[in-house]
Short mmCIF file of all heavy atoms in Angstrom, two decimals:
data_model
loop_
_atom_site.label_atom_id
_atom_site.label_comp_id
_atom_site.label_asym_id
_atom_site.label_seq_id
_atom_site.Cartn_x
_atom_site.Cartn_y
_atom_site.Cartn_z
N ARG Z 1 0.82 -1.21 -0.01
CA ARG Z 1 -0.03 0.01 0.03
C ARG Z 1 0.88 1.26 -0.02
O ARG Z 1 0.60 2.23 -0.69
CB ARG Z 1 -0.98 -0.01 1.15
CG ARG Z 1 -2.08 -1.01 1.01
CD ARG Z 1 -3.03 -1.00 2.16
NE ARG Z 1 -3.80 0.26 2.22
CZ ARG Z 1 -4.54 0.58 3.24
NH1 ARG Z 1 -4.66 -0.22 4.26
NH2 ARG Z 1 -5.23 1.75 3.19
N MET Z 2 1.95 1.25 0.77
CA MET Z 2 2.80 2.41 0.83
C MET Z 2 3.50 2.60 -0.54
O MET Z 2 3.67 3.69 -1.00
CB MET Z 2 3.83 2.27 1.94
CG MET Z 2 3.24 2.44 3.34
SD MET Z 2 4.36 2.57 4.72
CE MET Z 2 5.47 1.29 4.44
N ARG Z 3 3.88 1.49 -1.13
CA ARG Z 3 4.61 1.53 -2.45
C ARG Z 3 3.64 1.91 -3.60
O ARG Z 3 4.07 2.34 -4.65
CB ARG Z 3 5.31 0.22 -2.73
CG ARG Z 3 6.57 0.15 -1.89
CD ARG Z 3 7.65 -0.48 -2.67
NE ARG Z 3 8.93 -0.38 -2.12
CZ ARG Z 3 9.91 -1.31 -2.27
NH1 ARG Z 3 9.62 -2.43 -2.95
NH2 ARG Z 3 11.11 -1.11 -1.82
N GLU Z 4 2.32 1.73 -3.40
CA GLU Z 4 1.40 2.21 -4.39
C GLU Z 4 1.46 3.69 -4.48
O GLU Z 4 1.31 4.30 -5.54
CB GLU Z 4 -0.04 1.75 -4.05
CG GLU Z 4 -0.28 0.29 -4.28
CD GLU Z 4 -1.65 -0.21 -3.78
OE1 GLU Z 4 -2.34 0.57 -3.07
OE2 GLU Z 4 -1.97 -1.35 -4.05
N ARG Z 5 1.66 4.32 -3.34
CA ARG Z 5 1.76 5.79 -3.27
C ARG Z 5 3.16 6.32 -3.60
O ARG Z 5 3.30 7.37 -4.14
CB ARG Z 5 1.38 6.26 -1.87
CG ARG Z 5 -0.11 6.05 -1.53
CD ARG Z 5 -0.41 6.54 -0.16
NE ARG Z 5 -1.83 6.40 0.15
CZ ARG Z 5 -2.37 5.39 0.76
NH1 ARG Z 5 -1.67 4.34 1.03
NH2 ARG Z 5 -3.65 5.34 1.01
N ARG Z 6 4.13 5.51 -3.26
CA ARG Z 6 5.55 5.85 -3.52
C ARG Z 6 6.34 4.62 -3.89
O ARG Z 6 6.92 3.96 -3.07
CB ARG Z 6 6.15 6.51 -2.29
CG ARG Z 6 7.55 7.04 -2.60
CD ARG Z 6 8.10 7.94 -1.53
NE ARG Z 6 9.54 7.95 -1.74
CZ ARG Z 6 10.45 8.05 -0.81
NH1 ARG Z 6 10.03 8.21 0.45
NH2 ARG Z 6 11.72 7.99 -1.06
N PRO Z 7 6.33 4.31 -5.24
CA PRO Z 7 6.96 3.06 -5.66
C PRO Z 7 8.44 2.91 -5.35
O PRO Z 7 8.90 1.79 -5.20
CB PRO Z 7 6.74 3.12 -7.21
CG PRO Z 7 5.62 4.04 -7.40
CD PRO Z 7 5.68 5.02 -6.26
N ASP Z 8 9.17 3.99 -5.17
CA ASP Z 8 10.61 3.92 -4.93
C ASP Z 8 10.94 3.92 -3.42
O ASP Z 8 12.13 4.05 -3.07
CB ASP Z 8 11.30 5.06 -5.64
CG ASP Z 8 10.95 6.45 -5.09
OD1 ASP Z 8 9.84 6.54 -4.49
OD2 ASP Z 8 11.69 7.37 -5.23
N LEU Z 9 9.94 3.78 -2.58
CA LEU Z 9 10.16 3.85 -1.12
C LEU Z 9 11.09 2.72 -0.69
O LEU Z 9 10.79 1.54 -0.82
CB LEU Z 9 8.85 3.70 -0.34
CG LEU Z 9 9.01 3.71 1.18
CD1 LEU Z 9 9.47 5.11 1.70
CD2 LEU Z 9 7.67 3.33 1.83
N PRO Z 10 12.26 3.04 -0.11
CA PRO Z 10 13.14 2.01 0.46
C PRO Z 10 12.54 1.40 1.73
O PRO Z 10 12.02 2.17 2.57
CB PRO Z 10 14.46 2.77 0.78
CG PRO Z 10 14.35 4.04 -0.03
CD PRO Z 10 12.90 4.36 -0.11
N VAL Z 11 12.55 0.09 1.82
CA VAL Z 11 11.92 -0.55 3.01
C VAL Z 11 12.80 -1.64 3.53
O VAL Z 11 13.38 -2.47 2.80
CB VAL Z 11 10.58 -1.24 2.56
CG1 VAL Z 11 9.99 -1.98 3.77
CG2 VAL Z 11 9.58 -0.19 2.07
N VAL Z 12 12.97 -1.64 4.86
CA VAL Z 12 13.59 -2.73 5.57
C VAL Z 12 12.40 -3.45 6.27
O VAL Z 12 11.70 -2.89 7.05
CB VAL Z 12 14.60 -2.24 6.64
CG1 VAL Z 12 15.09 -3.47 7.51
CG2 VAL Z 12 15.76 -1.55 6.08
N ALA Z 13 12.23 -4.73 5.90
CA ALA Z 13 11.16 -5.59 6.47
C ALA Z 13 11.77 -6.44 7.55
O ALA Z 13 12.83 -7.08 7.41
CB ALA Z 13 10.60 -6.49 5.41
N ILE Z 14 11.16 -6.41 8.76
CA ILE Z 14 11.67 -7.18 9.91
C ILE Z 14 10.61 -8.18 10.34
O ILE Z 14 9.41 -7.95 10.23
CB ILE Z 14 12.07 -6.23 11.04
CG1 ILE Z 14 10.91 -5.38 11.51
CG2 ILE Z 14 13.23 -5.34 10.64
CD1 ILE Z 14 11.16 -4.48 12.75
N SER Z 15 11.06 -9.30 10.89
CA SER Z 15 10.20 -10.28 11.39
C SER Z 15 10.95 -11.20 12.37
O SER Z 15 12.10 -11.53 12.15
CB SER Z 15 9.62 -11.13 10.27
OG SER Z 15 8.88 -12.18 10.81
N GLY Z 16 10.24 -11.66 13.38
CA GLY Z 16 10.77 -12.65 14.27
C GLY Z 16 10.17 -14.05 14.09
O GLY Z 16 10.54 -14.94 14.78
N MET Z 17 9.27 -14.14 13.16
CA MET Z 17 8.48 -15.34 12.99
C MET Z 17 9.04 -16.31 11.90
O MET Z 17 8.92 -17.52 12.03
CB MET Z 17 7.07 -15.04 12.61
CG MET Z 17 6.30 -14.29 13.66
SD MET Z 17 5.71 -15.32 14.89
CE MET Z 17 4.11 -14.74 15.09
N THR Z 18 9.60 -15.75 10.88
CA THR Z 18 9.98 -16.63 9.76
C THR Z 18 11.05 -15.97 8.96
O THR Z 18 11.35 -14.77 9.10
CB THR Z 18 8.68 -16.84 8.87
OG1 THR Z 18 9.07 -17.78 7.78
CG2 THR Z 18 8.22 -15.56 8.26
N THR Z 19 11.68 -16.73 8.03
CA THR Z 19 12.56 -16.09 7.10
C THR Z 19 11.74 -15.28 6.13
O THR Z 19 10.57 -15.54 5.90
CB THR Z 19 13.39 -17.11 6.34
OG1 THR Z 19 12.50 -17.97 5.61
CG2 THR Z 19 14.24 -17.94 7.28
N LEU Z 20 12.32 -14.28 5.56
CA LEU Z 20 11.57 -13.38 4.74
C LEU Z 20 11.99 -13.44 3.25
O LEU Z 20 11.75 -12.50 2.49
CB LEU Z 20 11.86 -11.92 5.27
CG LEU Z 20 11.42 -11.68 6.69
CD1 LEU Z 20 11.85 -10.33 7.17
CD2 LEU Z 20 9.89 -11.80 6.80
N ASP Z 21 12.57 -14.56 2.89
CA ASP Z 21 12.97 -14.73 1.51
C ASP Z 21 11.88 -14.55 0.49
O ASP Z 21 12.10 -14.05 -0.67
CB ASP Z 21 13.62 -16.12 1.29
CG ASP Z 21 14.85 -16.31 2.11
OD1 ASP Z 21 15.50 -15.30 2.48
OD2 ASP Z 21 15.23 -17.48 2.34
N PHE Z 22 10.65 -14.83 0.83
CA PHE Z 22 9.49 -14.80 -0.07
C PHE Z 22 9.23 -13.34 -0.46
O PHE Z 22 8.65 -13.07 -1.50
CB PHE Z 22 8.23 -15.36 0.60
CG PHE Z 22 7.73 -14.56 1.73
CD1 PHE Z 22 6.75 -13.60 1.53
CD2 PHE Z 22 8.15 -14.80 3.00
CE1 PHE Z 22 6.24 -12.88 2.56
CE2 PHE Z 22 7.69 -14.07 4.06
CZ PHE Z 22 6.71 -13.10 3.85
N LEU Z 23 9.71 -12.37 0.29
CA LEU Z 23 9.42 -10.93 -0.02
C LEU Z 23 10.03 -10.52 -1.33
O LEU Z 23 9.48 -9.72 -2.06
CB LEU Z 23 9.87 -10.06 1.11
CG LEU Z 23 9.08 -10.04 2.38
CD1 LEU Z 23 9.71 -9.14 3.43
CD2 LEU Z 23 7.65 -9.65 2.14
N THR Z 24 11.23 -10.95 -1.58
CA THR Z 24 11.97 -10.48 -2.72
C THR Z 24 11.42 -11.08 -4.01
O THR Z 24 11.87 -10.69 -5.09
CB THR Z 24 13.44 -10.81 -2.63
OG1 THR Z 24 13.66 -12.19 -2.34
CG2 THR Z 24 14.05 -10.05 -1.42
N GLU Z 25 10.50 -12.11 -3.91
CA GLU Z 25 10.02 -12.74 -5.14
C GLU Z 25 8.88 -11.96 -5.77
O GLU Z 25 8.42 -12.23 -6.91
CB GLU Z 25 9.54 -14.13 -4.81
CG GLU Z 25 10.69 -15.01 -4.33
CD GLU Z 25 10.23 -16.35 -3.81
OE1 GLU Z 25 9.01 -16.66 -3.86
OE2 GLU Z 25 11.07 -17.12 -3.32
N SER Z 26 8.31 -10.96 -5.06
CA SER Z 26 7.18 -10.18 -5.58
C SER Z 26 7.68 -8.88 -6.22
O SER Z 26 8.50 -8.24 -5.61
CB SER Z 26 6.23 -9.87 -4.41
OG SER Z 26 5.27 -8.95 -4.79
N LEU Z 27 7.13 -8.53 -7.35
CA LEU Z 27 7.51 -7.35 -8.04
C LEU Z 27 7.27 -6.08 -7.17
O LEU Z 27 8.09 -5.17 -7.11
CB LEU Z 27 6.80 -7.19 -9.33
CG LEU Z 27 7.13 -5.96 -10.23
CD1 LEU Z 27 8.63 -6.02 -10.54
CD2 LEU Z 27 6.33 -5.98 -11.49
N GLU Z 28 6.12 -6.07 -6.47
CA GLU Z 28 5.78 -4.90 -5.58
C GLU Z 28 6.79 -4.73 -4.45
O GLU Z 28 6.90 -3.70 -3.85
CB GLU Z 28 4.35 -5.04 -5.02
CG GLU Z 28 3.24 -5.08 -6.02
CD GLU Z 28 2.97 -6.46 -6.56
OE1 GLU Z 28 3.56 -7.46 -6.00
OE2 GLU Z 28 2.16 -6.64 -7.46
N LEU Z 29 7.44 -5.84 -4.13
CA LEU Z 29 8.33 -5.79 -2.97
C LEU Z 29 9.79 -5.88 -3.40
O LEU Z 29 10.65 -6.20 -2.59
CB LEU Z 29 8.00 -6.97 -2.07
CG LEU Z 29 6.59 -6.94 -1.51
CD1 LEU Z 29 6.24 -8.20 -0.76
CD2 LEU Z 29 6.29 -5.72 -0.69
N SER Z 30 10.11 -5.48 -4.65
CA SER Z 30 11.46 -5.51 -5.09
C SER Z 30 12.25 -4.57 -4.27
O SER Z 30 11.77 -3.53 -3.80
CB SER Z 30 11.57 -5.20 -6.56
OG SER Z 30 11.08 -3.91 -6.76
N ASN Z 31 13.51 -4.86 -4.11
CA ASN Z 31 14.47 -4.02 -3.34
C ASN Z 31 14.18 -3.87 -1.85
O ASN Z 31 14.76 -3.00 -1.23
CB ASN Z 31 14.59 -2.64 -4.03
CG ASN Z 31 15.31 -2.67 -5.31
OD1 ASN Z 31 16.11 -3.56 -5.53
ND2 ASN Z 31 14.95 -1.79 -6.18
N VAL Z 32 13.31 -4.74 -1.32
CA VAL Z 32 13.07 -4.71 0.13
C VAL Z 32 14.24 -5.50 0.78
O VAL Z 32 14.68 -6.56 0.27
CB VAL Z 32 11.75 -5.44 0.48
CG1 VAL Z 32 11.64 -5.71 1.98
CG2 VAL Z 32 10.57 -4.63 0.00
N VAL Z 33 14.82 -4.94 1.80
CA VAL Z 33 15.88 -5.62 2.54
C VAL Z 33 15.21 -6.24 3.72
O VAL Z 33 14.44 -5.61 4.50
CB VAL Z 33 16.99 -4.65 2.97
CG1 VAL Z 33 17.91 -5.26 3.95
CG2 VAL Z 33 17.73 -4.13 1.69
N CYS Z 34 15.54 -7.52 4.01
CA CYS Z 34 14.92 -8.30 5.09
C CYS Z 34 15.87 -8.43 6.26
O CYS Z 34 17.07 -8.63 6.04
CB CYS Z 34 14.49 -9.68 4.58
SG CYS Z 34 13.39 -9.61 3.18
N LEU Z 35 15.32 -8.34 7.45
CA LEU Z 35 16.12 -8.45 8.66
C LEU Z 35 15.35 -9.27 9.68
O LEU Z 35 14.20 -9.01 9.99
CB LEU Z 35 16.39 -7.05 9.24
CG LEU Z 35 17.28 -6.91 10.43
CD1 LEU Z 35 18.66 -7.49 10.16
CD2 LEU Z 35 17.38 -5.51 10.90
N GLN Z 36 15.99 -10.38 10.17
CA GLN Z 36 15.37 -11.28 11.10
C GLN Z 36 15.55 -10.79 12.51
O GLN Z 36 16.65 -10.47 12.95
CB GLN Z 36 16.08 -12.63 10.93
CG GLN Z 36 15.45 -13.76 11.72
CD GLN Z 36 14.14 -14.28 11.06
OE1 GLN Z 36 14.03 -14.23 9.86
NE2 GLN Z 36 13.21 -14.71 11.87
N LYS Z 37 14.45 -10.80 13.31
CA LYS Z 37 14.51 -10.52 14.75
C LYS Z 37 14.94 -11.76 15.48
O LYS Z 37 14.64 -12.85 15.06
CB LYS Z 37 13.10 -10.08 15.27
CG LYS Z 37 12.57 -8.84 14.78
CD LYS Z 37 11.21 -8.63 15.45
CE LYS Z 37 10.44 -7.51 14.89
NZ LYS Z 37 9.04 -7.39 15.50
N PRO Z 38 15.65 -11.60 16.55
CA PRO Z 38 16.20 -10.37 17.07
C PRO Z 38 17.43 -9.96 16.35
O PRO Z 38 18.17 -10.82 15.79
CB PRO Z 38 16.49 -10.77 18.55
CG PRO Z 38 16.85 -12.24 18.49
CD PRO Z 38 15.95 -12.80 17.43
N PHE Z 39 17.68 -8.74 16.28
CA PHE Z 39 18.86 -8.19 15.62
C PHE Z 39 19.56 -7.20 16.55
O PHE Z 39 18.96 -6.63 17.41
CB PHE Z 39 18.49 -7.58 14.26
CG PHE Z 39 17.36 -6.56 14.38
CD1 PHE Z 39 17.56 -5.29 14.76
CD2 PHE Z 39 16.10 -6.96 14.03
CE1 PHE Z 39 16.56 -4.35 14.76
CE2 PHE Z 39 15.05 -6.06 14.05
CZ PHE Z 39 15.26 -4.75 14.49
N ARG Z 40 20.81 -7.02 16.23
CA ARG Z 40 21.66 -6.05 16.98
C ARG Z 40 21.67 -4.74 16.25
O ARG Z 40 21.39 -4.66 15.07
CB ARG Z 40 23.09 -6.58 17.09
CG ARG Z 40 23.20 -7.80 17.98
CD ARG Z 40 24.65 -8.11 18.23
NE ARG Z 40 24.81 -9.02 19.34
CZ ARG Z 40 24.96 -10.28 19.24
NH1 ARG Z 40 25.06 -10.87 18.07
NH2 ARG Z 40 25.09 -11.04 20.31
N PRO Z 41 22.02 -3.68 16.96
CA PRO Z 41 22.05 -2.32 16.32
C PRO Z 41 22.90 -2.25 15.07
O PRO Z 41 22.50 -1.71 14.09
CB PRO Z 41 22.61 -1.40 17.41
CG PRO Z 41 22.14 -2.07 18.69
CD PRO Z 41 22.24 -3.58 18.41
N ASN Z 42 24.05 -2.94 15.08
CA ASN Z 42 24.97 -2.91 13.88
C ASN Z 42 24.29 -3.65 12.75
O ASN Z 42 24.54 -3.30 11.60
CB ASN Z 42 26.32 -3.47 14.21
CG ASN Z 42 26.35 -4.91 14.64
OD1 ASN Z 42 25.39 -5.40 15.25
ND2 ASN Z 42 27.41 -5.61 14.32
N GLU Z 43 23.51 -4.69 12.97
CA GLU Z 43 22.80 -5.40 11.93
C GLU Z 43 21.69 -4.54 11.30
O GLU Z 43 21.47 -4.53 10.12
CB GLU Z 43 22.20 -6.69 12.49
CG GLU Z 43 23.25 -7.73 12.90
CD GLU Z 43 22.69 -8.89 13.65
OE1 GLU Z 43 21.78 -8.68 14.48
OE2 GLU Z 43 23.24 -10.03 13.49
N LEU Z 44 21.01 -3.77 12.19
CA LEU Z 44 20.00 -2.84 11.70
C LEU Z 44 20.62 -1.78 10.79
O LEU Z 44 20.16 -1.49 9.70
CB LEU Z 44 19.30 -2.16 12.87
CG LEU Z 44 18.33 -1.03 12.50
CD1 LEU Z 44 17.16 -1.58 11.69
CD2 LEU Z 44 17.80 -0.37 13.76
N MET Z 45 21.76 -1.21 11.23
CA MET Z 45 22.43 -0.17 10.40
C MET Z 45 22.94 -0.77 9.15
O MET Z 45 22.92 -0.08 8.07
CB MET Z 45 23.53 0.50 11.24
CG MET Z 45 23.05 1.33 12.42
SD MET Z 45 21.73 2.48 12.00
CE MET Z 45 22.52 3.55 10.80
N ALA Z 46 23.42 -2.00 9.15
CA ALA Z 46 23.86 -2.63 7.90
C ALA Z 46 22.68 -2.83 6.95
O ALA Z 46 22.84 -2.62 5.73
CB ALA Z 46 24.52 -3.97 8.23
#
């Protein structure tokens, strides 16, 4: 929904439940960077 309004919006997707590999397979979710919870501050900045 956010990318419908701004297609070039950079997004970091986070989750503690599952791996997020499926996100990069969708055209609407291209260029999303996935980060698994729990994460450290340096991992967030990376």
Side-chain angles (χ1 to χ4, degrees):
R1 288 181 68 189
M2 291 190 310
R3 285 216 166 150
E4 286 172 352
R5 292 179 176 92
R6 185 168 160 214
D8 66 336
L9 179 70
V11 176
V12 174
I14 58 175
S15 174
M17 298 278 227
T18 184
T19 62
L20 300 172
D21 297 338
F22 69 92
L23 287 178
T24 57
E25 297 172 5
S26 170
L27 182 59
E28 298 88 5
L29 301 173
S30 64
N31 291 331
V32 169
V33 169
C34 303
L35 184 59
Q36 187 77 32
K37 292 180 188 177
F39 49 83
R40 292 191 163 99
N42 63 328
E43 294 168 324
L44 174 62
M45 293 310 299

